[in-house]
Amino acid sequence: RSGKLTPSQVAKNIIAVLEDCDKSTPPLRAIVQWDQEQIMLMAEASTARYRNKCTLSYLDGIPVCLKEEFKVVPYHHRVGTVYLGTEPETEDATVTKKLREAGAIIIGVSNMHELGTGTTGCNPNRYHKIPRNPYEPNHFTGGSSSGSAAAIAAGLCPVAIGTDGGGSVRIPASFCGVVGLKGTFGRISCHGSLPLSYSTVSVGPICTSVADAAIVYSILAEPDPLYPYGLKQPKATLSGMCAPDLKGLKLGVDWTFFKACDAEVLSMCEKAVQHLQSLGASVVEVSLPEIEEVRVAHVICILSEMRDFLQSDFNKHFQEMNLDTRANLALASQFTALDYITANRQRTRSMRFLQEVFTTVNCILTPAVACTAPRIFESDLLTGSSDMSFTVRSMRFVQLGNFTGIPGLVVPIGYSTAGLPISIQVMAKWWDEAVLLRIGLKLEQFRYQTKKPSIYYDILA
C-alpha cells in the first residue's frame, strides 16, 4: 500500500527464484509448472490496482500456488501422474477462481504425491521428481500436498492450497514447519479438483502464519453451488480469534492417545499444552473411543473410494503409475462392499462419540505427527518409497479429522535435536474453525524462535 514495493517487483523476484531453485543441488521441486508470462500478467494488473487504490482483497498481489490436484488454467491437470492432463486446462477449479477474483498472483502449481496416495511426497516420475524439505534437503516434505508445504517453507510464496484426505495438508505442513488448516468437510469447495475420495477430502490453506491462514480461509470458505457437500454450511466467522487470552476454553486431551509419538515430539507438545494453560485455558481429560477401529475404517473408506474412482486408470495406466501407487490400489481392491459398509457404520459411531466429547470441551489437542520428517534414500529417487509402517504412524493423529469431517489446524512449535520441525494439532467441532485459529495464534507465541530453513528465498529482497 505504501508503494515501496509493487506486485510486479515481487513477481520478477519469484520468477528468478523459480529458475534458480530447480538448478540447485538437489533441486527443490516445489513448483512443477509455472509460466513467466502468466505470473507477470497477474502481477501487473495488481500493481495497477494498488496504484489506483482499488485493490480487490487482502490477497491482492499476494503470490500463491495450488496443488496439482486442482485445475488451474493454462497448466496441465496431472495430479502427480505422467498420464493425466495431456492437454492444458481450460477451466479453473472453484478455489482457483476465487483466488483470481481476490487478485492473488498464481505463481504455478505445486508438486504432489502421485494421485495423493502417500504421506511422504515421494514421486519419482519424470514430471515431478522428489520435492525436498527446506529444513533438511535429504528428508521428505511429507505428502500428499508436498510441493505446497515446501514452497511455503522455502519462502516462494506465503500461501499454498492443498487437499487433505488422510492428513495431506497437515502432515507436510508439520514436516516443513509451517501452518496447515484442514477445513470442516464441505467448508471449502472441492469442485475442479480430482474427486479421488469424496467422503474424506477437505481443502485447506498451508501458510507461513496462523493469521495468513485465517485470511485465506475467510476468502475461500463459503457454499459453492457446484459442490453439494458444503451447501448447508453456517457462515464462516473469525469471531473471538484475537481474544487476549484463552480464559473459559476447555482443551480436551486423551493422554494415552497423545503419548503415542516419539519422545522429542511428546516433550515439545506437552510444553505447548502447558503454555495454553498459562493463558487461562483448562485441560480436560477426554477419552477418544475406538481409535484403532477409526484408523482401519478410514483406510477402508479412502482407499475404496479412490479405487472406485480410479478403476479405468488402474486398468489402462497401471504400467505408468509409480510402484507405491500400484501397491496401494491393489491393496484397495481387496476390500469388499461389506468392509466399506461396516467402515461407514463406524463413521456414524465415531461422529456420535465426538458430538458427546464436544459438549464438554472446545477442542481436542494431539501432536500433529508422531515423528519428524523421514530421510530420503538413494533408492527412493529411482523407484519411490513404500513403507506401510511409516504411513500408519504418520497418519495416526490426523485420520480422525478426515474420517468424521471435523476441522484441524497444525502449528509448528519447535525443532528436534536434528533441526527438523515439530508441530501440534488442534481439532474442533464441525464448522468451528474460529476456535482453532484463536488457539493457533497463542501456540505461535510458544515458539520462541523460528529457525531459517537451509533452503530459503527472500522474495522481498
Side-chain angles (χ1 to χ4, degrees):
R1 283 181 184 161
S2 68
K4 280 183 193 150
L5 196 64
T6 67
S8 299
Q9 282 167 288
V10 176
K12 281 179 188 143
N13 293 350
I14 290 171
I15 289 162
V17 163
L18 289 171
E19 283 168 348
D20 179 68
C21 67
D22 281 340
K23 286 187 193 132
S24 62
T25 316
L28 179 62
R29 298 305 293 155
I31 307 291
V32 288
Q33 299 182 59
W34 58 279
D35 180 304
Q36 185 169 339
E37 203 180 322
Q38 289 289 324
I39 297 171
M40 286 315 298
L41 273 174
M42 286 180 264
E44 278 155 13
S46 177
T47 300
R49 288 192 294 272
Y50 273 98
R51 202 184 304 122
N52 301 324
K53 299 200 171 20
C54 60
T55 50
L56 300 169
S57 78
Y58 284 123
L59 284 185
D60 207 326
I62 301 295
V64 305
C65 65
L66 292 101
K67 184 179 186 177
E68 202 179 56
E69 202 170 316
F70 293 98
K71 294 181 175 182
V72 183
V73 179
Y75 302 111
H76 295 265
H77 190 215
R78 291 193 181 115
V79 199
T81 70
V82 293
Y83 65 85
L84 285 172
T86 49
E87 294 299 316
E89 203 40 61
T90 54
E91 172 191 5
D92 279 331
T94 296
V95 285
T96 315
K97 213 153 93 200
K98 288 182 96 66
L99 289 167
R100 284 194 208 278
E101 286 163 2
I105 299 168
I106 297 168
I107 67 166
V109 293
S110 46
N111 206 342
M112 64 178 286
H113 202 108
E114 185 177 62
L115 294 167
T117 55
T119 60
T120 55
C122 183
N123 188 349
N125 77 43
R126 65 181 185 271
Y127 287 137
H128 297 87
K129 298 286 177 248
I130 295 171
R132 302 299 179 136
N133 190 319
Y135 274 93
E136 193 49 75
N138 293 326
H139 287 246
F140 284 118
T141 54
S144 66
S145 307
S146 52
S148 298
I152 300 298
L156 302 185
C157 54
V159 176
I161 308 296
T163 57
D164 190 317
S168 285
V169 157
R170 291 162 293 160
I171 294 167
S174 178
F175 282 168
C176 292
V178 291
V179 172
L181 172 66
K182 175 197 98 71
T184 303
F185 177 75
R187 178 61 106 176
I188 297 173
S189 175
C190 276
H191 176 75
S193 69
L194 203 69
L196 292 162
S197 162
Y198 46 83
S199 78
T200 65
V201 175
S202 296
V203 177
I206 297 176
C207 296
T208 322
S209 69
V210 173
D212 287 356
I215 290 169
V216 180
Y217 164 74
S218 66
I219 285 172
L220 297 181
E222 65 174 4
D224 171 13
L226 299 169
Y227 182 64
Y229 298 121
L231 288 179
K232 295 272 190 262
Q233 62 176 278
K235 196 167 167 45
T237 74
L238 300 177
S239 67
M241 179 180 149
C242 298
D245 54 39
L246 297 177
K247 285 193 181 113
L249 283 189
K250 293 187 173 127
L251 318 175
V253 179
D254 178 331
W255 286 110
T256 312
F257 183 47
F258 192 100
K259 287 175 177 169
C261 60
D262 289 357
E264 277 192 299
V265 173
L266 177 61
S267 143
M268 193 73 73
C269 288
E270 283 177 332
K271 286 183 191 134
V273 174
Q274 288 164 2
H275 167 73
L276 296 177
Q277 277 178 292
S278 75
L279 292 166
S282 53
V283 170
V284 178
E285 203 159 329
V286 294
S287 164
L288 297 174
E290 300 177 7
I291 280 294
E292 193 52 29
E293 287 82 347
V294 165
R295 189 175 71 73
V296 176
H298 167 260
V299 168
I300 290 168
C301 285
I302 190 169
L303 281 181
S304 299
E305 288 169 9
M306 289 174 98
R307 183 69 179 80
D308 164 56
F309 179 72
L310 295 167
Q311 176 69 28
S312 70
D313 299 49
F314 192 70
N315 295 338
K316 279 191 218 150
H317 299 284
F318 184 79
Q319 296 305 331
E320 297 162 89
M321 289 175 174
N322 290 335
L323 296 174
D324 72 308
T325 309
R326 295 184 209 177
N328 283 321
L329 292 175
L331 166 69
S333 57
Q334 300 307 302
F335 297 136
T336 64
L338 187 61
D339 293 329
Y340 185 70
I341 290 164
T342 310
N344 274 293
R345 287 192 178 134
Q346 178 64 44
R347 192 194 309 253
T348 307
R349 282 176 68 82
S350 297
M351 289 172 81
R352 289 266 157 78
F353 291 141
L354 283 178
Q355 269 174 330
E356 238 158 87
V357 168
F358 286 124
T359 59
T360 57
V361 297
N362 301 91
C363 71
I364 296 166
L365 298 175
T366 70
V369 191
C371 55
T372 53
R375 251 197 88 96
I376 297 172
F377 292 100
E378 279 303 302
S379 60
D380 300 335
L381 304 174
L382 303 169
T383 54
S385 162
S386 182
D387 178 345
M388 280 302 176
S389 66
F390 166 74
T391 307
V392 169
R393 287 196 73 206
S394 66
M395 287 166 62
R396 176 174 295 148
F397 298 115
V398 293
Q399 287 173 290
L400 183 64
N402 294 112
F403 190 51
T404 61
I406 58 172
L409 177 76
V410 299
V411 181
I413 51 170
Y415 306 90
S416 68
T417 43
L420 289 161
I422 291 172
S423 297
I424 194 167
Q425 173 178 238
V426 198
M427 293 181 284
K429 67 177 184 291
W430 300 271
W431 317 114
D432 197 7
E433 287 86 349
V435 79
L436 299 183
L437 296 161
R438 176 181 172 185
I439 295 166
L441 281 177
K442 298 294 182 262
L443 281 166
E444 281 182 324
Q445 297 168 1
F446 168 74
R447 191 175 75 236
Y448 65 94
Q449 66 171 146
T450 303
K451 287 186 180 161
K452 200 172 189 176
S454 55
I455 303 175
Y456 185 78
Y457 295 93
D458 184 353
I459 56 167
L460 301 182

